C-alpha cells in the first residue's frame, strides 16, 4: 500500500514538472503565435457562469473578523464586536429557565460581593411566534391550578398568562432551521435593578449605583451543558446613605458582572409541603381549587433533590450514595489555614444524612487547578467564596426552582473579618475559663473550631434550614456548667441558633465544653424530615402525612421546638439571638461575673498592643456583651412566648411571661443600672482617649428599653389571666427610677440618667402630633418594634442586608390561610401589633406626673446635698414646662 502511494506521488510530480517546463524553450514569436491562437478561440461565445449562491442571513451575521462563538449542550452564544446574539434551539422554546446576576470581579468589595447572588433570579421562558419574533416572558410559577385540565387552561389563558418582558426580532435561522438567532445585547448590558450586581443595602443603609454608559462593555461568553454565561464590565458612581445622611457620594466602582441563564430540569422533583413547626425555607404558591371555597396560599420547602442510586438497597436500610451528591468547591483565595476547617464544616453534615440512609452526600474539593471545564461562575458549581472585606459576617444563599422548591445551586460567602468577630466572641465569652484565648491572636486550634462552627451554620442554610432562635433556651442554665452535659449536648440543640460560646461557665468549672455541638438533635431531625426518601409514597400528600406524624411525636419535647427569628417584632424572650439557657436572669448573673473577671485581667492578658487598639475593641465587646445580658432580661417585661401549635396537640400558641417573672426582671435590670460602674475601669479605659463613660451610655440605652417595654406590657396584660398590669409596671418603674428621691439620698450618675430618661419618655409620649395618632401621644402604639440600639446589639440591621429569613415571609393575611393539606402553608411571621385601642400608657404617665410633681417640689427644698437639690429643681422645671400647655 505504501509503495503504490509513493509511485503515485512521483508520477504526479513528474507530470507537473513537464507541464511547467514545456514552454521554457519556446521563442518569443512562438509564444505570441500561441497567444494569438488562444485569443482567436476566446472570441467565440462562452456559456454563462453559474450564479453564486446568495449569502444567508446567518452567514452575514457571523462571517466577520470580530465574531466569537461558544457552544454548549444548551445553546450557542455569538459575540460580534459589541453585539451579543443567542442562538436558541427551537426545542427549548417554552422551557423554563432562571436568569440571574453575580459579580465576578470588582474594585470595592464593600459595594459588590463576588460570587453573591444579590437578587432573586428571574424565572423566564422564551416563546417563538409567527417566525419573526421571540418573546421573553416571566413564568407565573406561583400559581397552582388544582382544577380539571380544560378549565385550568381556560383560567390561565384569560387571567394568568405569562407576562411579556421583552420582544426580540428574529435576526436569522441557523442552517437547518432548528434554531433562531436574536440580538440580546441590551439584556446583558442594561441596568435593570433585578440583574444588578451591586449590593442594594438594607435596614438603615441604602446603596444606589448609577452606571456610566461609556464604562459598559461586553466581555467573556461561555456555554455549558445546561447554562450559558455572559460577563459585562460596568462602571458606576455609587452613593451610600444612612437614613437621610450621605456617607459616600459618587464613589467610582468597576464591576465585572456575570449574568447566567440556567435551564431548569424538564422532569421536576417531587415537591414537599412544609410543617410550620419546623424552620425550613419556603417557596410561596397561590392555589385555585374546587376542594375549597376560597383561593388558597401555601408553600413548598426548599431542598436539594436527593435520590438513592440503588433504591432497593435503600429500602432494605443499607447506606447508599445519592444519584446527585451535593458538591462544594472551596475558593483558592482563602488563607491556606482556613481551608481544612471549612471542609470539616461541609462534611460535618454527612452524619445527619447517614442516619437517614445516605452516604457521601456532602462532598468538598478545592478549586480545580487544571480542569478547563471548572468555572466558579458556572451555576452548576456551588462554591464557598472568600471576600477580602472588613465585614464581620458570613452567609449562605441559594437559588431554587420556583415550581418545586428544588435548590439548584448555592453559595457560602465568608468575609475576611469573620475571624475578627470570632476573636472577640471567644475572648469576651470564654476567656474566664479558657487560657488559650487570652491573647491578641487566637491559637490555631481555637480558630479552626470556631471557623468550622460558623461555616457549618451557613451550610445549614444552604440545605434549607432557617434560624431557630428558640433552641438555646431549652437547656437549663446550670447544665451549661456541667462537663458531662455540655460534652454530650454542647450549648444548644441546634447550630442554627445564634448560641455562640459558653459564657455561663465559671473560672473554676473543669472540662466544660465551650462550643455549640457539631450538630444538635434539632438539626438532625430537620435533615431527616427534609431529605428522607419515600419510595412507597405515591405523591406529596402521602409524604406529608408521614412527615406530619414525625413532628407530632416530638410535640412537648423542647429540644425539637422551632421558634422564628424576631426582626420586625421582638416580644418572645425565649427566641433571642446571642443568649443561652432557660433563665436570662441567672445566665446574666453568671455572664456578668465573667465579664468583671475578664475586665480586671484585660491589661494583663493583652500586652502586645502599644496603641491599645485591640484592647479597646475587646472593651467595646465586653460592654456590648453586658448590654445583651441586660436586654435579654428586659424582653421578659411584657414578654409573650410564641409557639406554633397544631390543633389537637399539646401546647399554647400564645403565653404571656408570668407576672412574677416580669416584675422580677424589671427590678433586676434597675439594680444592674445602679451597679455598672465596673465598666469604667480606669486602668483599662485611660489608654483609650477622650470619650463619655461607657456606663452612662449603657444606662441610657437600657432604661429607654424599659420605658419602651410599656408597649409590650399593654399587650401582655391584655391577654393574661393574671396580668402584670400597666399600672403595676409603671408603679414599679416609678419606684425604681425615683428611688433616690423617695428615700432622700444623694443622687448618682445612674439616677440622673434614668430620671432624665423618664422625663424625656413622658415628653415624647405627650407630644402632640397631627391626626388620630396625636390623640394617642407621640410614641408608637405598636408592640414589639425594635429600637436602633436593639438592631445593632443583635445584628438585626446587618441581617436585613444579608439573609434575611424574611425573604420567605408572607403578608399577614396570607399567613392565616390553611391549604387543603393541613400544615403545608407559609410561616406566619408575627408583625407588630397595634394596641392603641387598649393602650392606657398616657393615663398612667399623667398619674406619674402628678405624683412626681409633689415629690420633686419636696426634694427641691430638702435634698441631702446641694448637687441633689439642683438636679431635682431642674427635673421639676422640666416637668412643669412639659405639662404647661396641657389643659385638663
Amino acid at each position: 500500500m505504501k509503495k503504490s502511494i509513493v509511485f503515485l506521488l512521483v508520477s504526479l510530480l513528474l507530470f507537473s514538472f513537464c507541464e511547467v517546463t514545456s514552454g521554457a524553450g519556446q521563442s518569443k514569436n512562438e509564444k505570441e503565435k500561441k497567444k494569438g491562437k488562444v485569443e482567436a478561440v476566446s472570441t467565440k461565445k462562452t456559456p454563462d457562469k453559474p450564479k453564486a449562491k446568495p449569502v444567508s442571513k446567518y452567514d452575514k451575521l457571523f462571517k466577520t473578523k470580530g465574531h466569537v462563538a461558544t457552544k454548549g449542550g444548551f445553546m450557542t452564544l455569538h459575540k460580534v464586536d459589541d453585539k451579543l446574539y443567542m442562538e436558541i434551539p427551537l426545542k427549548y422554546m417554552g422551557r423554563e429557565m432562571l436568569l440571574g446576576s453575580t459579580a465576578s470581579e470588582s474594585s470595592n468589595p464593600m459595594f459588590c460581593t463576588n460570587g453573591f447572588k444579590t437578587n432573586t433570579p428571574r424565572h423566564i421562558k422564551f416563546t417563538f411566534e409567527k417566525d419573526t419574533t421571540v418573546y421573553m416572558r416571566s413564568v407565573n410559577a406561583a400559581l397552582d391550578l388544582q382544577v380539571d385540565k380544560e378549565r385550568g387552561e381556560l383560567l390561565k389563558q384569560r387571567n394568568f398568562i405569562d407576562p411579556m418582558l421583552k420582544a426580540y426580532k428574529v435576526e436569522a435561522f441557523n442552517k437547518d432551521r432548528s434554531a433562531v438567532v436574536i440580538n440580546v445585547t441590551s439584556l446583558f448590558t442594561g441596568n435593570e435593578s433585578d440583574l444588578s450586581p451591586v449590593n442594594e443595602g438594607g435596614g438603615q443603609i441604602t446603596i444606589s449605583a448609577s452606571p456610566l454608559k461609556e464604562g459598559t462593555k461586553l466581555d467573556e461568553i461561555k456555554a455549558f451543558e445546561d447554562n450559558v454565561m455572559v460577563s459585562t464590565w460596568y462602571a458606576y458612581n455609587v452613593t451610600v446613605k444612612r437614613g437621610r445622611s450621605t456617607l459616600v457620594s459618587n464613589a467610582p466602582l468597576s464591576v465585572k458582572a456575570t449574568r447566567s441563564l440556567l435551564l431548569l430540569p424538564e422532569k421536576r422533583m417531587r415537591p414537599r409541603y412544609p410543617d410550620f413547626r419546623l424552620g425550613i425555607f419556603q417557596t410561596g404558591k397561590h392555589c385555585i381549587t374546587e376542594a375549597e371555597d376560597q383561593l388558597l396560599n401555601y408553600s413548598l420547602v426548599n431542598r436539594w433533590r436527593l435520590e438513592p442510586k440503588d433504591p432497593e438497597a435503600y429500602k432494605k436500610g443499607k447506606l447508599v450514595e445519592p444519584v446527585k451528591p451535593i458538591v462544594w468547591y472551596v475558593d483558592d483565595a482563602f488563607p491556606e489555614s482556613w481551608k481544612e476547617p471549612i471542609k470539616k464544616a461541609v462534611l460535618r453534615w454527612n452524619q445527619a444524612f447517614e442516619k437517614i440512609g445516605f452516604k457521601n452526600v456532602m462532598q468538598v474539593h478545592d478549586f480545580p487547578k487544571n480542569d478547563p471545564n471548572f468555572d466558579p461562575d458556572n451555576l452548576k458549581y456551588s462554591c464557598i467564596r472568600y471576600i477580602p472585606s472588613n465585614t464581620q459576617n458570613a452567609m449562605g444563599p441559594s437559588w431554587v426552582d420556583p415550581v418545586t422548591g428544588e435548590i439548584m445551586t448555592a453559595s457560602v460567602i465568608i468575609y475576611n473579618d469573620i475571624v475578627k468577630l470570632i476573636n472577640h466572641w471567644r475572648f469576651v465569652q470564654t476567656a474566664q475559663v479558657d487560657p488559650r484565648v487570652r491573647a491578641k491572636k487566637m491559637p490555631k486550634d481555637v480558630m479552626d473550631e470556631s471557623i468550622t462552627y460558623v461555616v457549618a451554620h451557613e451550610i445549614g442554610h444552604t440545605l434549607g434550614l432557617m434560624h431557630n432562635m428558640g433552641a438555646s433556651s431549652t437547656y437549663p442554665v446550670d447544665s451549661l456548667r456541667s462537663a458531662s452535659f455540655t460534652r454530650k449536648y454542647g450549648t444548644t440543640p441546634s447550630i442554627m441558633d445564634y448560641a455562640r460560646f459558653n459564657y455561663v461557665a465559671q473560672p473554676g468549672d473543669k472540662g466544660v465544653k465551650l462550643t455549640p455541638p457539631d450538630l444538635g438533635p434539632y438539626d438532625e431531625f430537620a435533615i431527616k424530615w427534609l431529605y428522607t426518601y419515600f419510595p412507597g409514597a405515591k405523591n406529596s400528600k402521602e409524604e406529608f402525612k408521614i412527615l406530619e406524624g414525625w413532628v407530632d411525636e416530638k410535640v412537648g419535647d423542647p429540644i425539637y421546638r422551632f421558634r422564628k427569628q424576631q426582626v420586625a417584632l421582638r416580644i418572645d424572650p425565649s427566641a433571642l439571638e446571642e443568649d443561652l439557657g432557660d433563665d436570662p436572669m441567672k445566665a446574666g448573673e453568671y455572664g456578668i461575673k465573667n465579664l468583671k473577671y475578664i475586665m480586671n485581667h484585660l491589661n494583663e492578658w493583652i500586652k502586645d498592643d502599644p496603641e491599645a487598639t485591640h484592647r479597646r475593641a475587646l472593651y467595646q465587646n465586653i460592654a456590648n456583651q453586658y448590654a445583651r445580658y441586660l436586654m435579654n432580661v428586659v424582653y421578659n417585661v411584657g414578654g409573650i412566648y410564641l409557639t406554633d401549635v397544631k390543633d389537637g396537640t399539646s401546647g399554647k400558641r400564645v403565653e404571656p411571661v408570668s407576672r412574677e417573672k416580669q416584675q422580677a426582671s424589671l427590678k433586676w435590670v434597675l439594680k444592674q443600672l445602679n451597679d455598672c460602674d465596673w465598666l469604667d475601669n480606669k486602668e483599662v479605659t485611660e489608654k483609650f482617649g477622650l470619650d463619655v463613660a461607657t456606663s452612662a451610655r449603657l444606662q441610657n440605652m437600657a432604661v429607654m428599653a424599659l420605658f419602651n417595654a410599656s408597649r409590650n406590657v399593654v399587650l401582655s396584660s391584655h391577654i393574661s389571666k393574671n396580668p402584670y398590669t400597666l399600672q403595676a409596671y409603671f408603679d414599679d418603674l416609678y419606684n425604681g427610677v425615683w428611688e433616690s428621691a423617695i428615700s432622700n439620698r444623694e443622687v448618682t450618675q445612674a439616677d440622673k440618667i434614668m430620671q432624665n430618661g423618664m422625663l424625656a419618655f413622658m415628653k415624647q409620649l405627650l407630644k402632640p402630633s397631627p391626626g388620630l395618632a396625636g390623640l394617642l401621644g407621640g410614641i408608637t402604639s405598636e408592640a414589639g418594634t425594635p429600637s436602633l440600639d436593639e438592631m445593632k446589639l443583635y445584628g438585626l440591621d446587618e441581617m436585613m442586608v444579608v439573609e434575611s429569613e424574611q425573604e420567605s415571609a408572607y403578608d399577614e393575611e396570607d399567613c392565616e390561610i390553611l391549604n387543603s393539606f393541613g400544615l403545608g402553608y407559609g410561616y406566619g411571621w408575627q408583625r407588630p401589633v397595634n394596641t392603641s385601642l387598649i393602650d392606657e400608657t398616657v393615663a398612667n404617665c399623667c398619674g406619674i406626673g402628678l405624683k412626681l410633681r409633689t415629690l420633686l417640689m419636696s426634694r427641691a427644698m430638702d435634698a441631702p446635698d446641694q448637687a441633689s437639690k439642683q438636679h431635682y429643681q431642674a427635673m421639676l422645671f422640666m416637668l412643669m414646662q412639659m405639662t404647661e400647655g396641657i389643659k385638663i
Side-chain angles (χ1 to χ4, degrees), residues 256-273:
K256 183 180 179 181
T258 298
R259 295 200 172 117
S260 305
L261 186 65
L262 172 67
L263 185 68
L264 289 171
E266 195 165 23
K267 183 180 179 182
R268 284 336 219 285
M269 177 188 75
R270 177 188 287 179
R272 184 160 291 182
Y273 299 113

Side-chain angles (χ1 to χ4, degrees), residues 421-470:
L421 184 63
I422 289 170
N423 182 306
H424 295 165
W425 279 344
R426 290 302 300 257
F427 186 86
V428 303
Q429 294 175 15
T430 66
Q432 77 281 358
V433 71
D434 187 357
R436 297 177 301 166
V437 305
R438 297 169 185 173
K440 187 176 176 181
K441 183 177 175 65
M442 293 293 109
K444 188 177 186 307
D445 58 341
V446 171
M447 191 56 67
D448 284 358
E449 68 182 6
S450 301
I451 289 174
T452 299
Y453 155 63
V454 169
V455 177
H457 174 98
E458 301 306 333
I459 291 291
H461 284 316
T462 68
L463 292 173
L465 275 61
M466 301 168 71
H467 285 139
N468 179 6
M469 295 308 184

Side-chain angles (χ1 to χ4, degrees), residues 253-325:
L253 173 68
S254 292
V255 182
K256 183 180 179 181
T258 298
R259 295 200 172 117
S260 305
L261 186 65
L262 172 67
L263 185 68
L264 289 171
E266 195 165 23
K267 183 180 179 182
R268 284 336 219 285
M269 177 188 75
R270 177 188 287 179
R272 184 160 291 182
Y273 299 113
D275 190 315
F276 62 97
R277 297 170 294 178
L278 285 177
I280 311 294
F281 287 116
Q282 301 177 16
T283 296
K285 295 286 181 179
H286 307 287
C287 177
I288 296 176
T289 174
E290 294 171 355
E292 298 284 343
D293 294 330
Q294 60 179 333
L295 270 71
L296 302 174
N297 294 314
Y298 73 99
S299 55
L300 305 174
V301 297
N302 296 348
R303 64 191 186 114
W304 298 83
R305 183 183 295 204
L306 205 63
E307 299 165 341
K309 276 185 180 179
D310 187 343
E312 292 304 315
Y314 185 87
K315 287 180 186 178
K316 295 176 182 177
K318 296 181 180 179
L319 278 177
V320 299
E321 292 189 342
V323 173
K324 186 179 178 183

Side-chain angles (χ1 to χ4, degrees), residues 683-695:
E683 292 182 0
V684 173
T685 61
E686 66 181 359
K687 305 291 185 182
F688 300 158
L690 184 63
D691 203 351
V692 173
T694 298
S695 62

Side-chain angles (χ1 to χ4, degrees), residues 75-214:
M75 67 168 65
T76 303
L77 294 179
H78 301 269
K79 190 172 73 163
V80 181
D81 298 324
D82 59 350
K83 293 181 181 179
L84 180 69
Y85 297 89
M86 276 184 180
E87 183 178 329
I88 309 176
L90 295 178
K91 67 180 180 179
Y92 291 129
M93 292 296 173
R95 282 287 300 274
E96 295 174 24
M97 309 170 190
L98 295 181
L99 174 64
S101 183
T102 62
S104 298
E105 301 174 30
S106 72
S107 61
N108 191 328
M110 295 301 294
F111 302 141
C112 242
T113 304
N114 292 344
F116 177 50
K117 300 162 182 63
T118 309
N119 299 294
T120 301
R122 290 182 184 177
H123 184 197
I124 63 168
K125 67 181 181 182
F126 291 97
T127 59
F128 179 50
E129 300 177 23
K130 299 182 180 179
D131 282 6
T132 60
T133 309
V134 171
Y135 293 100
M136 184 173 75
R137 299 182 180 276
S138 177
V139 179
N140 202 338
L143 178 67
D144 181 15
L145 296 173
Q146 295 183 7
V147 296
D148 66 76
K149 187 175 181 181
E150 184 177 347
R151 182 174 175 235
E153 289 297 324
L154 184 66
L155 286 172
K156 189 160 187 178
Q157 289 173 10
R158 289 185 180 176
N159 303 281
F160 303 107
I161 60 172
D162 295 323
M164 184 184 73
L165 300 176
K166 289 181 182 292
Y168 299 99
K169 173 189 171 185
V170 173
E171 304 288 342
F173 284 83
N174 68 346
K175 292 179 181 179
D176 63 1
R177 298 186 68 83
S178 64
V180 293
V181 177
I182 58 176
N183 185 335
V184 291
T185 308
S186 62
L187 180 62
F188 291 92
T189 59
N191 188 44
E192 295 166 89
S193 59
D194 63 332
L195 295 176
S196 172
V198 181
N199 299 337
E200 298 174 351
Q204 299 294 311
I205 299 292
T206 56
I207 300 175
S208 57
S210 303
L212 305 177
K213 187 175 181 181
E214 59 273 21

Side-chain angles (χ1 to χ4, degrees), residues 630-870:
L630 299 187
M631 287 301 304
N632 292 347
V633 178
V634 169
Y635 286 122
N636 274 341
V637 182
I640 301 173
Y641 302 120
L642 303 175
T643 307
D644 289 310
V645 177
K646 172 189 166 187
D647 285 349
T649 60
S650 62
K652 297 180 180 179
R653 287 189 173 93
V654 176
E655 184 178 10
V657 176
S658 70
R659 171 193 176 96
E660 294 75 20
K661 184 174 286 188
Q662 291 189 56
Q663 194 168 32
S665 296
L666 175 60
K667 293 178 178 178
W668 186 90
V669 175
L670 289 171
K671 181 177 181 298
Q672 285 296 328
L673 295 182
N674 279 292
D675 186 29
C676 61
D677 292 345
W678 60 271
L679 280 170
D680 305 324
N681 186 316
K682 295 298 182 183
E683 292 182 0
V684 173
T685 61
E686 66 181 359
K687 305 291 185 182
F688 300 158
L690 184 63
D691 203 351
V692 173
T694 298
S695 62
R697 289 200 300 267
L698 190 140
Q699 286 162 338
N700 182 66
M701 182 215 73
V703 78
M704 293 308 297
L706 284 176
F707 298 146
N708 288 326
S710 62
R711 298 171 296 179
N712 294 4
V713 173
V714 171
L715 184 59
S716 177
S717 62
H718 177 67
I719 63 174
S720 177
K721 293 180 180 178
N722 180 28
Y724 184 43
T725 64
L726 197 62
Q727 182 177 347
Y729 158 81
F730 272 114
D731 283 345
D732 288 339
L733 198 57
Y734 171 82
N735 291 330
V737 171
W738 297 98
E739 185 274 331
S740 65
I742 294 169
S743 63
N744 201 17
R745 61 167 173 77
E746 293 182 12
V747 293
T748 63
Q749 170 191 282
D751 295 327
K752 292 177 181 179
I753 288 172
M754 290 190 293
Q755 291 162 14
N756 268 295
M758 177 170 263
L759 287 183
F761 173 78
M762 293 170 64
K763 181 178 180 180
Q764 182 65 23
L765 185 72
L766 299 173
K767 181 180 179 181
S769 56
L772 178 62
L775 301 175
L776 304 171
I779 299 289
T780 176
S781 291
E782 286 190 335
T785 306
S787 68
L788 182 59
D789 283 327
E790 290 171 77
M791 293 171 71
K792 289 178 179 177
L793 272 179
Y794 292 93
L796 302 180
D797 184 55
E798 192 170 26
M799 243 170 19
M800 290 181 191
V801 178
V802 184
E803 323 214 350
S804 190
E805 316 226 341
Q806 299 287 52
E807 289 180 6
S808 300
Y810 289 97
D811 294 332
E812 282 182 72
E813 295 178 2
D814 294 342
C815 301
E816 301 304 321
I817 302 174
L818 290 169
N819 76 353
S820 57
F821 312 117
L823 298 180
Y825 65 94
Y827 288 112
W829 292 92
Q830 181 62 60
R831 304 298 184 184
V833 178
N834 192 315
T835 57
S836 57
L837 293 176
I838 58 172
D839 191 351
E840 297 180 352
T841 301
V842 173
N844 278 275
C845 281
C846 288
I848 284 180
L850 292 174
K851 285 196 300 183
L852 188 55
R853 182 173 63 178
T854 302
L855 177 64
L856 290 176
M857 288 180 70
S858 173
R859 293 298 172 257
M861 301 297 294
D862 65 358
D865 63 287
Q866 188 60 31
S868 298
K869 280 184 182 181
Q870 289 179 344

Side-chain angles (χ1 to χ4, degrees), residues 586-642:
K586 181 181 283 190
E589 291 282 358
Y590 284 131
I592 292 166
K593 285 182 182 179
N594 290 333
L595 291 181
K596 290 178 179 179
Y597 182 86
I598 293 169
M599 179 76 84
N600 289 333
H601 292 84
L602 185 59
N603 287 344
E604 172 191 342
W605 292 341
I606 308 298
K607 292 181 178 179
D608 183 20
D609 189 28
E611 296 181 1
T613 305
H614 190 66
R615 268 177 290 162
R616 183 165 191 166
L618 292 175
Y619 173 80
Q620 187 59 55
N621 274 270
I622 289 171
N624 289 343
Q625 190 74 14
Y626 179 58
R628 281 189 284 269
Y629 296 154
L630 299 187
M631 287 301 304
N632 292 347
V633 178
V634 169
Y635 286 122
N636 274 341
V637 182
I640 301 173
Y641 302 120
L642 303 175

Side-chain angles (χ1 to χ4, degrees), residues 256-518:
K256 183 180 179 181
T258 298
R259 295 200 172 117
S260 305
L261 186 65
L262 172 67
L263 185 68
L264 289 171
E266 195 165 23
K267 183 180 179 182
R268 284 336 219 285
M269 177 188 75
R270 177 188 287 179
R272 184 160 291 182
Y273 299 113
D275 190 315
F276 62 97
R277 297 170 294 178
L278 285 177
I280 311 294
F281 287 116
Q282 301 177 16
T283 296
K285 295 286 181 179
H286 307 287
C287 177
I288 296 176
T289 174
E290 294 171 355
E292 298 284 343
D293 294 330
Q294 60 179 333
L295 270 71
L296 302 174
N297 294 314
Y298 73 99
S299 55
L300 305 174
V301 297
N302 296 348
R303 64 191 186 114
W304 298 83
R305 183 183 295 204
L306 205 63
E307 299 165 341
K309 276 185 180 179
D310 187 343
E312 292 304 315
Y314 185 87
K315 287 180 186 178
K316 295 176 182 177
K318 296 181 180 179
L319 278 177
V320 299
E321 292 189 342
V323 173
K324 186 179 178 183
I326 303 170
V327 183
W328 288 91
Y329 293 89
V330 179
D331 199 333
D332 52 12
F334 276 110
E336 197 62 36
S337 62
W338 292 24
K339 293 181 181 179
E340 193 57 36
I342 287 172
K343 292 175 183 177
K344 286 179 66 176
V346 175
L347 298 176
R348 175 181 288 186
W349 287 91
N350 275 333
Q351 68 189 60
F353 285 108
E354 287 172 4
K355 291 184 177 180
I356 61 171
F358 287 103
K359 64 180 179 180
N360 299 327
V361 172
M362 305 297 290
Q363 299 180 15
V364 60
H365 309 286
D366 291 322
F367 275 12
K369 296 291 185 184
N370 300 309
D371 183 354
N373 295 317
F374 175 79
D375 192 317
D377 294 324
N378 181 348
L379 288 177
K380 300 306 294 180
Y381 296 100
S382 293
C383 298
I384 302 172
R385 304 295 293 266
Y386 170 79
I387 307 299
S389 162
N390 62 2
T391 300
Q392 299 178 33
N393 203 4
M395 53 187 172
S398 58
W399 278 7
V400 303
D401 179 350
V403 174
T404 62
E406 179 184 355
I407 298 174
M408 306 304 301
T409 185
S411 303
V412 170
I413 308 296
I414 304 176
Y415 297 89
N416 183 82
D417 274 13
I418 190 67
V419 292
K420 180 179 180 181
L421 184 63
I422 289 170
N423 182 306
H424 295 165
W425 279 344
R426 290 302 300 257
F427 186 86
V428 303
Q429 294 175 15
T430 66
Q432 77 281 358
V433 71
D434 187 357
R436 297 177 301 166
V437 305
R438 297 169 185 173
K440 187 176 176 181
K441 183 177 175 65
M442 293 293 109
K444 188 177 186 307
D445 58 341
V446 171
M447 191 56 67
D448 284 358
E449 68 182 6
S450 301
I451 289 174
T452 299
Y453 155 63
V454 169
V455 177
H457 174 98
E458 301 306 333
I459 291 291
H461 284 316
T462 68
L463 292 173
L465 275 61
M466 301 168 71
H467 285 139
N468 179 6
M469 295 308 184
S472 60
S473 66
T474 63
Y475 287 166
V477 171
D478 284 325
S479 295
L480 299 175
R481 297 187 61 190
S482 163
S484 58
F485 182 91
T486 55
R487 287 191 176 280
K488 184 176 181 180
Y489 299 109
T491 57
T492 173
S494 173
I495 66 166
M496 302 314 296
D497 196 349
Y498 278 2
R500 310 299 184 182
F501 304 102
N502 194 345
Y503 62 74
V504 169
Q506 297 296 291
D509 296 340
K510 302 294 183 183
V512 176
K513 193 172 190 292
L514 303 176
T515 58
D518 287 354

